[in-house]
Amino acid sequence: SNTMNKMRIFDDINVNLKSSISYGAILTLRSGLLPTSSWLTAEEWQWLSHAVPKRQQTFAWGRAALRWLCSQLAGVDGSAVSISLPSDKEPEIWVNHQQWHCSVSHSHSQLVVIVNQTKRVAVDLEHYRTDRLVTKYQDVFPLLQPYCTSTTIFYRRWTLLEAMAKYYSIPLLDLLIGVVELPTAEVRYVNVGDYLICVAPADIPIC
């Protein structure tokens, strides 16, 4: 059976917004389970063979999900979707040789991807743990101190920082230590079970 059927879609409709198309998916990573070979290229399988097991899953399923989403939206075969190999920035993606925009994030056993045909996008996913000792972060990053009063406030701030770092291509550490001032951008928060998702920009329709 096609393991891509295990994916849970949290945007169940294709939304046309000012001639842009947006779509997102979240899926559960199951230990030892990788997507069928057709969802990855030969180069990606080769890269995968040198990665540690945990990285193998996030890499393989992230790419499979991106390729699957784009093929659904564009009505093309997955082979028409090209994705850049890992680097220190978000992956670049092309559909039928036209550049689209995408973002990927994972936390614990969940992975989320979003794509957009015309707009730059960013997403961050965090596993919401109420027992997490968030006060330890204020000792390392004093700028986080006002946001360490509760786990809810902390996670909203943390996912915002991660999403903005991706959206503006700013090193996360620069935002955490205040080297770069946090840019202003409207974001949207989505709760999915024990996970919090932050998406930029806010008008990206994800649910």
Side-chain angles (χ1 to χ4, degrees):
S1 63
N2 190 339
T3 50
M4 290 301 291
N5 292 333
K6 297 181 182 296
M7 182 177 294
R8 290 190 295 121
I9 305 301
F10 65 80
D11 180 6
D12 57 0
I13 55 172
N14 297 347
V15 181
N16 194 296
L17 179 67
K18 295 181 180 176
S19 75
S20 72
I21 299 172
S22 183
Y23 205 79
I26 184 169
L27 58 100
T28 299
L29 300 175
R30 291 174 173 81
S31 180
L33 183 66
L34 291 176
T36 54
S37 59
S38 60
W39 291 108
L40 300 178
T41 65
E43 292 80 12
E44 288 167 340
W45 281 112
Q46 184 172 1
W47 189 94
L48 200 63
S49 66
H50 301 293
V52 297
K54 185 177 180 180
R55 185 71 178 100
Q56 285 182 342
Q57 277 214 307
T58 56
F59 173 84
W61 281 108
R63 275 150 196 276
L66 285 172
R67 197 164 272 122
W68 181 80
L69 286 173
C70 289
S71 66
Q72 294 288 307
L73 284 171
V76 298
D77 188 77
S79 60
V81 182
S82 302
I83 309 169
S84 62
L85 286 174
S87 67
D88 57 356
K89 59 183 180 179
E90 286 276 53
E92 295 181 337
I93 191 166
W94 294 267
V95 181
N96 272 344
H97 307 292
Q98 292 187 329
Q99 187 162 15
W100 284 31
H101 304 273
C102 68
S103 187
V104 181
S105 183
H106 78 277
S107 178
H108 197 51
S109 65
Q110 303 290 310
L111 184 143
V112 63
V113 300
I114 57 173
V115 299
N116 193 279
Q117 195 172 4
T118 59
K119 288 185 177 183
R120 178 177 48 173
V121 292
V123 65
D124 185 58
L125 169 76
E126 294 293 335
H127 183 218
Y128 189 92
R129 286 176 45 199
T130 54
D131 63 340
R132 190 171 191 174
L133 188 64
V134 297
T135 51
K136 67 180 182 181
Y137 291 91
Q138 67 188 23
D139 299 328
V140 182
F141 305 112
L143 288 177
L144 284 177
Q145 185 171 358
Y147 307 97
C148 291
T149 54
S150 77
T151 50
T152 300
I153 295 171
F154 172 80
Y155 278 110
R156 286 178 71 89
R157 185 64 176 183
W158 187 268
T159 55
L160 171 67
L161 288 167
E162 289 259 25
M164 290 297 93
K166 294 178 180 181
Y167 191 70
Y168 290 105
S169 299
I170 301 170
L172 177 61
L173 184 61
D174 287 357
L175 294 177
L176 287 169
I177 65 177
V179 172
V180 177
E181 188 175 344
L182 181 66
T184 55
E186 293 295 323
V187 299
R188 179 180 298 191
Y189 293 96
V190 180
N191 289 288
V192 180
D194 295 332
Y195 292 82
L196 178 64
I197 299 171
C198 180
V199 178
D203 61 357
I204 292 298
I206 58 170
C207 66

